Amino acid sequence: MYRRWLLAALMAAGVAGAPQAQTATEIVEKRSFETTDHTLRNGAALPSLRIGYQTAGTLNAAGDNAVLVAHFFSGNSHAFGRYAADQPPGYWDALIGPGKAIDTNRYFVVSSDTLVNLNVRDGRTVTTGPVSTNAATGRPWGTEFPVVSMRDFIEVQKKLLDSLGVRRLALVTGPSMGALQAIEWAAAYPEMIDRVMPVIGAGEIDPWMLNWLDIWEAPIRLDPNWRGGDYYAQGREAPVQGLAAALKIVTVHAQDRASLARFGRAIPEGQDPARRLGDRFEAERAIDEAALARARLSDANHFLYLTRANQLFLNEYPSTEAALARSQARWLVVASPTDRVFLMDANRELVATLQRVGRPAELAEVTGPLGHLNGVVGMAPLADRVRAFLAAGP
């Protein structure tokens, strides 16, 4: 089941079990960061919030050898290392660790969970969001939780880094939603960042992607158990079916045709789609099964808040160009030619915009059979390119 989920889905912690090009893996500890009286960018106040994080390496005396790794939509802080010897490695473990491209003998690497993290029920994620208890009512926030933006993720990460003594980032990076966070960081704190490496991202959430995000979340809103987000009361059922359907849409959107070709047109035993409308093909059944399993570890409201945070990417700037013009960093943009989420053309546009505003920017390709997911589990062949990027001057 685990292997099937890994190959069939975008969804998060399971990706960490992907085969890695290098096996030397550090044991890392999941920690928790808490802050109080936090004001969001829209002016709403959170009396307290918590996020999980992990680190590797040692911060130098100047506080300027740090690397921040931001995670993808369905991920969490587990980008590198293992939590125990018998546990799977993080999704980018092939890149991050002693002697690897992002060398933890040289760099202090930090990765954190976001607010409204999807994996709120998996036991490995620490996050604040709709599931959290509102101290004013003693009940889960539900959709009374304030809307958060991508910039809010950055502001919480900034508080975490400040608490750790980080003064400068040698690199900020991450795949997919992590790429958006890296770009948002470059605009928000340009004086703090030497290098930016967005992987399988894009420079904007355009109307096409805005609508895809709306399509992702539509099954949740249509599930009668959602009740406008008010489903936490005892005796009420969570909108698990709607969430599973939403996760299936994301899963298929995030993969290329080749990644699903292994199913062919196989039909599960006892099924006959040519005779009965309700019978399924194996390609449908397998992803339905994986999505439903994942939905039971996730939360529908958190999914909706995450899609909104993505829709609010760079929303504080008049244009993508205006945001990128703030950057003072060197850029390496990594894209997958078969990405169906953030298209190759969008990444070429990002590089062109960066060059137009005077930033050193290069484009690299991550290839493989998994489409968008190439940038999550297929980064090992780019290790030398990443190492050279870090070795280049800021």
Side-chain angles (χ1 to χ4, degrees):
M1 174 64 182
Y2 177 80
R3 175 65 57 174
R4 174 170 288 170
W5 175 252
L6 167 65
L7 295 174
L10 174 63
M11 304 303 145
V15 175
Q20 301 291 339
Q22 302 182 50
T23 58
T25 302
E26 294 181 276
I27 300 299
V28 295
E29 179 185 355
K30 187 71 178 264
R31 300 185 178 97
S32 181
F33 169 74
E34 186 168 354
T35 187
T36 57
D37 299 323
H38 182 81
T39 301
L40 298 169
R41 300 298 289 185
N42 60 15
L46 287 177
S48 65
L49 65 84
R50 296 172 66 238
I51 59 165
Y53 72 99
Q54 62 183 69
T55 68
T58 302
L59 186 66
N60 63 18
D64 64 359
N65 69 326
V67 171
L68 178 66
V69 181
H71 66 71
F72 50 100
F73 183 88
S74 55
N76 62 12
S77 70
H78 197 201
F80 52 87
R82 299 177 192 267
Y83 293 133
D86 61 348
Q87 295 294 306
Y91 60 87
W92 269 10
D93 195 69
L95 289 183
I96 302 168
K100 298 179 184 178
I102 302 175
D103 188 352
T104 53
N105 292 326
R106 178 179 179 185
Y107 296 105
F108 177 63
V109 186
V110 182
S111 181
S112 69
D113 302 331
T114 60
L115 294 173
V116 300
N117 193 285
L118 184 63
N119 310 289
V120 66
R121 303 185 193 281
D122 73 355
R124 285 290 192 187
T125 300
V126 181
T127 187
T128 298
V131 167
S132 305
T133 300
N134 179 352
T137 65
R139 299 189 302 273
W141 280 92
T143 51
E144 292 181 356
F145 193 79
V147 170
V148 296
S149 67
M150 198 69 62
R151 178 64 180 267
D152 285 311
F153 294 172
I154 274 63
E155 293 305 317
V156 175
Q157 291 165 356
K158 177 66 164 55
K159 284 189 173 183
L160 167 63
L161 294 180
D162 288 346
S163 77
L164 296 172
V166 172
R167 297 184 180 90
R168 191 168 189 86
L169 291 170
L171 171 69
V172 59
T173 184
S176 193
M177 188 180 81
L180 304 188
Q181 292 173 76
I183 296 167
E184 190 89 49
W185 258 101
Y189 293 100
E191 71 290 344
M192 187 179 171
I193 298 167
D194 292 331
R195 300 170 192 83
V196 186
M197 186 176 74
V199 176
I200 55 169
E204 65 176 341
I205 298 294
D206 61 12
W208 183 77
M209 192 60 199
L210 280 171
N211 276 282
W212 264 113
L213 289 164
D214 185 58
I215 290 168
W216 285 10
E217 65 182 34
I220 294 171
R221 298 184 184 278
L222 293 172
D223 188 325
N225 288 335
W226 181 56
R227 298 172 179 266
D230 183 17
Y231 53 83
Y232 299 113
Q234 187 174 2
R236 290 189 174 180
E237 293 186 21
V240 174
Q241 294 298 326
L243 177 56
L247 293 172
K248 179 176 182 177
I249 293 171
V250 178
T251 298
V252 177
H253 191 192
Q255 297 189 62
D256 190 31
R257 294 170 63 200
S259 65
L260 299 179
R262 66 191 180 281
F263 292 114
R265 293 181 59 82
I267 298 171
E269 185 176 353
Q271 299 282 293
D272 188 353
R275 291 180 178 272
R276 293 180 295 271
L277 191 62
D279 285 5
R280 318 299 302 284
F281 290 90
E282 177 63 17
E284 300 171 302
R285 189 206 62 78
I287 294 182
D288 279 347
E289 180 183 293
L292 182 59
R294 185 48 199 264
R296 298 189 190 283
L297 298 176
S298 306
D299 179 77
N301 282 336
H302 279 236
F303 186 104
L304 298 178
Y305 274 78
L306 271 181
T307 56
R308 177 54 53 87
N310 278 264
Q311 289 175 322
L312 294 174
F313 171 55
L314 294 181
N315 69 304
E316 297 186 15
Y317 306 95
S319 66
T320 299
E321 185 163 330
L324 297 178
R326 294 173 52 80
S327 172
Q328 301 172 20
R330 178 181 294 275
W331 291 67
L332 177 63
V333 176
V334 180
S336 170
T338 54
D339 194 338
R340 311 290 186 178
V341 180
F342 293 119
L343 304 181
M344 194 71 183
D345 282 351
N347 282 274
R348 293 192 184 99
E349 291 167 8
L350 172 58
V351 172
T353 302
L354 285 164
Q355 292 174 345
R356 191 162 59 248
V357 298
R359 299 319 310 150
E362 304 173 62
L363 180 66
E365 293 186 4
V366 55
T367 58
L370 296 178
H372 184 67
L373 288 180
N374 290 331
V376 178
V377 299
M379 287 291 287
L382 271 70
D384 287 344
R385 186 72 180 268
V386 175
R387 193 188 308 273
F389 179 57
L390 280 167

